[in-house]
Every structure is written in C-alpha cells, then in structure tokens.
Amino acid sequence: MRMNRPCGTAVATMALALAGLTVPATAAPVTGSDATFLKTIHQGNLAEIAAAKDAQKHSSSSCVKKAADMFVRDHTKFDAQVVKLARSKGVTLPAKAAAAQQKQLTSLKSLHGKRDYNRVWLRDQDTSHRQALALIDKETSSGKDTKVRALARTARPTVAKHLQAVTGGTCHTVKGEGT
C-alpha cells in the first residue's frame, strides 16, 4: 500500500509517539512581508558592511572611519541575528546585496583617493539608513510574525544611531562611540 506524503508523515509521527519518542517542533515558516523584510534587511546589512569596510580602508576622515567601524560591528551583529531567525523560519536569504546596492558600492570605489569619496560615502549612508529605518518601521507596525517584528524593533535604535552619525551627508560624532 502506498501512502501520500502527509499521511505517511502523520503515521511516522504517531509511530514515534507510541514508541515514546518525540518529533521536534519546527517553527512555522514565514512568508509574505515578513520574509521580504528578512531578505531585504539582510541585503542591506551586506551592503552596509561592504561599504563600511571600504571606508575603513579608503576614507581620509577619522570621523568617517569611526562611523565605518561602528557600522561594521553593528551590522555584522545584526545580520547574524537575521540569518539565525531566517534559518529558523525557513527563509532562504540572498547571497549578495541587491544589484542597486552593488552598483552604488562600485561607484563609491571609483572615488578611491579622490576628494569626493567622504561626501559620497556619507550621502549614501544617509540614504541607506533612512531606507532601513522605513523598512524597520513598516515591519514593526504591520509584520505578522512576532519574532520578526521583535527583531526589527530591537534593531531600530542602532540604525537610528547610525543615521545620526551621517545625517545630512555630514559626519557627526555619536555619543558613546569612542570619540
């Protein structure tokens, strides 16, 4: 007798239960806007880390380098949380930043050693952190999954602090960041 997959799974689960064994519960998969949030914020983290590492090497401004250090540290930590949550929720994350983000980094790299590098880096960071905050705010207000919403809520103060450091395309020293 051949069983269909759901029936076979149910029978196997019952057999394990009767034998005194348990089947670990899996997290409900995340779909829709919650999955989109995890994918988009992951790509943003990848882009922020890459741009900040570039600034660590190529900026002529100590303020920009301090901001870049903070961005690498914080986005790396946040992305580890995103990856862990996405994995537990069955969401496959993109391997790279979005094409537009990659293009922006390529454009920035063309300014290595040029006077405009810091100005363009700061402007790009202002824009990307504003976009990240909008994405986070949307998730916290309308996301369906409580863990994804909680992750967004937890990240908001850090992303807001990053925006404060680059507001208006000008480097600002952020309180508590080793000035």
Side-chain angles (χ1 to χ4, degrees), residues 21-58:
L21 302 172
T22 59
V23 177
T26 56
V30 171
T31 58
S33 64
D34 294 317
T36 300
F37 171 78
L38 290 171
K39 292 174 185 179
T40 306
I41 208 73
H42 172 66
Q43 288 181 303
N45 284 331
L46 295 177
E48 295 300 332
I49 293 165
K53 285 182 176 181
D54 193 72
Q56 286 173 323
K57 291 180 186 172
H58 299 287

Side-chain angles (χ1 to χ4, degrees), residues 127-145:
T127 300
S128 64
H129 282 86
R130 287 180 193 281
Q131 291 169 346
L133 279 176
L135 184 65
I136 287 168
D137 289 344
K138 181 179 177 188
E139 179 61 28
T140 58
S141 68
S142 63
K144 306 288 184 247
D145 186 272

Side-chain angles (χ1 to χ4, degrees), residues 4 6 8 32 40 46 51 60 80 89 116 141 143 151 153-154 164 167:
N4 64 23
T40 306
L46 295 177
S60 58
K89 297 291 185 174
D116 286 344
S141 68
L151 179 66
R153 200 171 17 264
T154 301
Q164 181 186 357
T167 295

Side-chain angles (χ1 to χ4, degrees), residues 8 30 32 38 43-44 54-55 57 68 76 81 85 93 96-97 100 124 129 148 155 165 168 175 178:
V30 171
L38 290 171
Q43 288 181 303
D54 193 72
K57 291 180 186 172
T76 299
Q81 295 169 331
L85 182 58
L93 296 175
K96 307 187 265 193
D124 290 352
H129 282 86
V148 178
K175 186 177 180 178

Side-chain angles (χ1 to χ4, degrees), residues 104-121:
Q104 188 177 46
L105 182 59
T106 299
S107 177
L108 180 68
K109 287 181 175 185
S110 73
L111 298 174
H112 287 172
K114 295 184 180 161
R115 207 172 91 188
D116 286 344
Y117 181 90
N118 292 327
R119 181 185 58 75
V120 170
W121 187 84

